[in-house]
Amino acid sequence: MQQQNSQAAEAFRKRLIATAKGPRGAKDMSREEACEALTFLMSAEAQPAQVGAFLTAMRFKGARVEEMKGFLDAMEGSAALIAPKVDGLLNCNGPYDGRKNALHLSLAAAIVTAAAGVPVVMHSSTGLPPKDGVTTARLLEALGIPAYREPDRVSRDIEEKGFGHLHAASYLHGVERLKPIRQTLFYRSFLHACEVMLNPAGAVYSLIGAAHKSFLERFATATGERGQQRVIAVQGLDGCDELPLEPVAVADFNNGTLSKYTLDPADYNFSHKTHHPCESVDVTARLVEEALTGKSDRHLDAILYNAGVRICLGNKTDDIGKGIRLAMELFESGQVAEKLRELQH
């Protein structure tokens, strides 16, 4: 049996013991301790059993804000980060395992937002449990938009086209080494939550999704306190950054102050309606392309509403209603379709 005698291995052994004492007995970590623990797990020295044990222990204990910050420090510390030379970059993100229940319209809203002059970065993965669903990466590929570019090329895309996508396989190197183990565990872990909160392009604004209302405050706080100007966490569709055409809970971290409220599409003259169920990647791509090119208005309300939220968050307008009106003008002028074509070439 291999013996682990390094200081890092011994420190992790003690950390695992303290973490695996159940929800009542487990000891919370400081930001630095959480960073050290995940840094060890992403190293070549960590054993698969240790990774599985820690992910399971944290699933029962639950991650606190300071621990989330430390995990994010470790994840970004082993990643290929970018810093595109643009003003007011908006980071939009949902779970890396994608969509299983509701039609994926987050990307459509992001493209409209880019057409409005707000630079957007998205990031995602493929093949992650438990959903292994329709991810942004898969949808981009189906639309004929590159999804696997190297980070420096993504940075240029954002600078030149106002939109870029980072695939985990191309930039999130440390966490990607854990992917085979995560695929055998099947359940969601703190890594799933932290992937949502990553800010790999140094954006000043973020719109992030959470599956449960209880996570919103922690997500917005952990993300915002790591240096962003404003972060809005929403209880979105499939836990994503997409707001439904129904009232939704929001946690808004704005310049160091956290507020909680409800966003209601009825306040912007949209009727409440049930979202379209998830479709295959190819069908989703067809529906998105039809919407963005003006061939169908079936999903226009959902896209306009989500684009309006993003345009306002990106500081292009001073309220959501104005953002929605700007998005509508972009559709009517053909600039949304033009932006789609630009990204496809």
Side-chain angles (χ1 to χ4, degrees):
M1 181 176 178
Q2 182 179 355
Q3 296 295 315
Q4 297 180 345
N5 299 314
S6 74
Q7 286 186 329
E10 179 60 18
F12 178 79
R13 183 185 70 81
K14 294 177 180 178
R15 179 57 47 204
L16 179 57
I17 292 171
T19 305
K21 292 184 176 180
R24 294 184 179 178
K27 183 177 183 296
D28 290 339
M29 290 171 278
S30 68
R31 179 172 179 172
E32 293 75 18
E33 288 169 340
C35 181
E36 289 172 2
L38 184 52
T39 298
F40 174 78
L41 288 180
M42 294 186 296
S43 73
E45 192 173 358
Q47 301 298 305
Q50 292 175 311
V51 176
F54 190 78
L55 295 183
T56 302
M58 285 299 303
R59 181 175 171 86
F60 285 101
K61 188 187 87 64
R64 309 298 180 233
V65 169
E66 289 302 304
E67 292 172 330
M68 288 177 174
K69 291 180 191 175
F71 294 145
L72 290 167
D73 291 343
M75 292 167 79
E76 292 184 4
S78 64
L81 307 181
I82 60 175
K85 297 179 176 62
V86 295
D87 294 325
L89 181 61
L90 174 64
N91 173 49
C92 299
N93 206 42
Y96 275 29
D97 60 346
R99 307 284 284 266
K100 274 291 189 183
N101 298 314
L103 183 67
H104 191 317
L105 296 176
S106 299
L107 175 59
I111 291 173
V112 177
T113 303
V118 177
V120 177
V121 62
M122 300 184 78
H123 42 105
S124 68
S125 186
T126 51
L128 273 178
K131 293 178 186 174
D132 192 9
V134 178
T135 64
T136 299
R138 284 173 167 157
L139 183 52
L140 283 166
E141 288 187 298
L143 284 166
I145 302 172
Y148 285 84
R149 292 194 192 275
E150 289 302 310
D152 60 344
R153 181 58 188 272
V154 176
S155 187
R156 293 201 303 274
D157 285 341
I158 295 169
E159 293 168 355
E160 296 168 3
K161 299 181 179 182
F163 178 89
H165 173 267
L166 285 162
H167 194 285
S170 300
Y171 93 95
L172 197 56
H173 305 307
V175 180
E176 278 292 284
R177 289 198 287 271
L178 305 180
K179 189 172 182 177
I181 300 172
R182 297 172 70 186
Q183 288 172 324
T184 65
L185 294 176
F186 301 111
Y187 55 73
R188 298 181 65 81
S189 70
F190 72 86
L191 294 175
H192 288 75
C194 288
E195 284 162 344
V196 171
M197 294 183 278
L198 287 166
N199 185 22
V204 290
Y205 311 115
S206 280
L207 178 66
I208 58 179
H212 304 289
K213 187 175 181 180
S214 60
F215 293 160
L216 296 177
E217 184 174 342
R218 278 181 283 170
F219 278 26
T221 301
T223 308
E225 288 184 351
R226 294 183 73 248
Q228 294 189 65
Q229 184 174 324
R230 190 177 184 190
V231 177
I232 292 181
V234 301
Q235 191 180 0
L237 292 158
D238 271 2
C240 286
D241 58 317
E242 184 178 338
L243 288 81
L245 288 174
E246 300 282 352
V248 65
V250 172
D252 188 339
F253 184 96
N254 192 350
N255 288 303
T257 300
L258 182 74
S259 58
K260 293 181 285 184
Y261 52 87
T262 298
L263 273 176
D264 190 341
D267 293 337
Y268 306 98
N269 300 314
F270 292 115
S271 299
H272 292 171
K273 61 177 69 173
T274 302
H275 203 71
H276 189 93
C278 186
E279 299 282 5
S280 68
V281 173
D282 290 339
V283 172
T284 303
R286 176 176 58 78
L287 294 173
V288 167
E289 187 153 17
E290 288 176 351
L292 295 181
T293 56
K295 294 178 182 178
S296 170
D297 61 1
R298 184 179 181 187
H299 302 293
L300 184 59
D301 284 0
I303 295 172
L304 287 173
Y305 178 47
N306 274 276
V309 171
R310 287 157 173 75
I311 290 168
C312 178
L313 176 56
N315 214 26
K316 188 72 174 181
T317 60
D318 57 10
D319 68 55
I320 293 172
K322 291 178 182 177
I324 292 168
R325 290 192 291 275
L326 175 55
M328 189 71 244
E329 292 169 4
L330 294 167
F331 268 101
E332 292 172 346
S333 67
Q335 292 180 70
V336 171
E338 183 180 335
K339 177 57 68 174
L340 174 63
R341 288 191 293 270
E342 179 187 6
L343 296 177
Q344 290 172 325
H345 293 91

